[in-house]
Amino acid sequence: MKLTTYDVARMIDISCVRSFNTREDIRKMAEAAMEYSFICAHVLPSNIPYLKELLAGNTEVLTGCPVGFPSGGSETKTKIEEMKNCVALGCDEIDVVINIGWMRSGLYRQAEEDVKAVIDASGETPVKLLLEVSQLNDEQIRRGAEIAMRVGAGFVKTGTGWMDEPTTMHHIEVIKEVVGESIGIKASGGIRGLAAIVEMHRMGVTRFGVGYQASLDIIGESQAFPDGIEL
């Protein structure tokens, strides 16, 4: 099996979700998303209407956003309302951040009840549960992956991309041992090159969260393999 440039793009959620991203950044991201057919473009909730305008008429690129970003530390009722608003604005996929401080404190039941209530408010909109694995130990990551399966998430997502520490192959191994083929894995945080995409895909990752510029760099790398990338 080989991966084409199109295949690579269809695994990448291109994003402008940093606090400093401007409307111009988002415009450029949307143009790139449509040019290369990235599967989803992610922005912060306040920019959903603008992104929807930019993507109007395009049938390949989904609109994504986070809820509870970046710490998961807001009250449950606040995150429920944020979820409902993102759904109402037409978001196609939503990444929900687990309460990272609660996970680090061993408050697994509370963290699960919190994200279940938030995910239940998503209706039919697909949801990924974000764990911020670089801040968790292996046991906490396993517990988070178990929670993701129980609360109806379609994917476990590894990170916000706001941490200095990247998602590693070990993090993927720990999650895969728990979820198997039951739900997907989205790797995000410090993924900067095609080699990481290919290796993690071999390990079972099917979605990647990558910033705007790094996404373009990865596409550029993949174009150096016109016959496809051997898996």
Side-chain angles (χ1 to χ4, degrees), residues 7 19 37 56 77 86 95 105-106 147 149 170 174 191 198 225:
D7 294 331
S19 57
S37 297
K77 61 184 179 182
C86 291
D95 294 2
S105 301
I147 289 171
M149 292 189 291
H170 176 71
V174 173
I191 298 167
V198 172
F225 299 88

Side-chain angles (χ1 to χ4, degrees), residues 36-159:
Y36 297 109
S37 297
F38 288 108
I39 192 166
C40 191
H42 280 250
V43 292
L44 296 173
S46 60
N47 288 314
I48 295 170
Y50 180 57
L51 180 59
K52 296 290 285 188
E53 288 178 16
L54 294 170
L55 295 177
N58 183 279
T59 58
E60 283 203 307
V61 183
L62 302 172
T63 299
C65 79
V67 163
F69 196 81
S71 69
S74 299
E75 287 190 313
T76 305
K77 61 184 179 182
T78 301
K79 290 183 285 191
I80 288 173
E81 290 307 311
E82 185 178 21
M83 172 65 81
K84 290 178 178 178
N85 185 58
C86 291
V87 171
L89 289 172
C91 212
D92 299 304
E93 295 188 352
I94 298 174
D95 294 2
V96 177
V97 186
I98 203 163
N99 191 313
I100 299 160
W102 283 1
M103 292 298 291
R104 285 170 57 89
S105 301
L107 300 176
Y108 305 122
R109 178 181 58 79
Q110 292 91 327
E112 180 170 348
E113 290 174 352
D114 172 68
V115 293
K116 185 179 188 308
V118 177
I119 290 174
D120 284 350
S122 68
E124 298 300 315
T125 304
V127 172
K128 308 179 193 77
L129 184 62
L130 196 161
L131 302 184
E132 201 70 284
V133 293
S134 69
Q135 304 305 303
L136 305 178
N137 61 37
D138 286 0
E139 176 60 19
Q140 292 160 354
I141 293 170
R142 291 187 188 96
R143 291 294 193 102
E146 291 168 354
I147 289 171
M149 292 189 291
R150 287 197 293 266
V151 300
F155 284 78
V156 177
K157 182 181 176 183
T158 63

Side-chain angles (χ1 to χ4, degrees), residues 203-222:
M203 297 172 70
V205 178
T206 55
R207 292 288 283 274
F208 297 87
V210 186
Y212 163 68
Q213 188 55 56
S215 293
L216 295 186
D217 293 343
I218 289 166
I219 291 298
E221 285 187 75
S222 70

Side-chain angles (χ1 to χ4, degrees), residues 1-7 221-231:
M1 179 180 176
K2 292 185 178 182
L3 288 177
T4 65
T5 295
Y6 180 79
D7 294 331
E221 285 187 75
S222 70
Q223 289 172 334
F225 299 88
D227 296 326
I229 304 152
E230 196 73 48
L231 287 177

Side-chain angles (χ1 to χ4, degrees), residues 16-22 44 69 162:
C16 278
V17 294
R18 302 302 294 266
S19 57
F20 52 75
N21 285 136
T22 65
L44 296 173
F69 196 81
W162 282 39

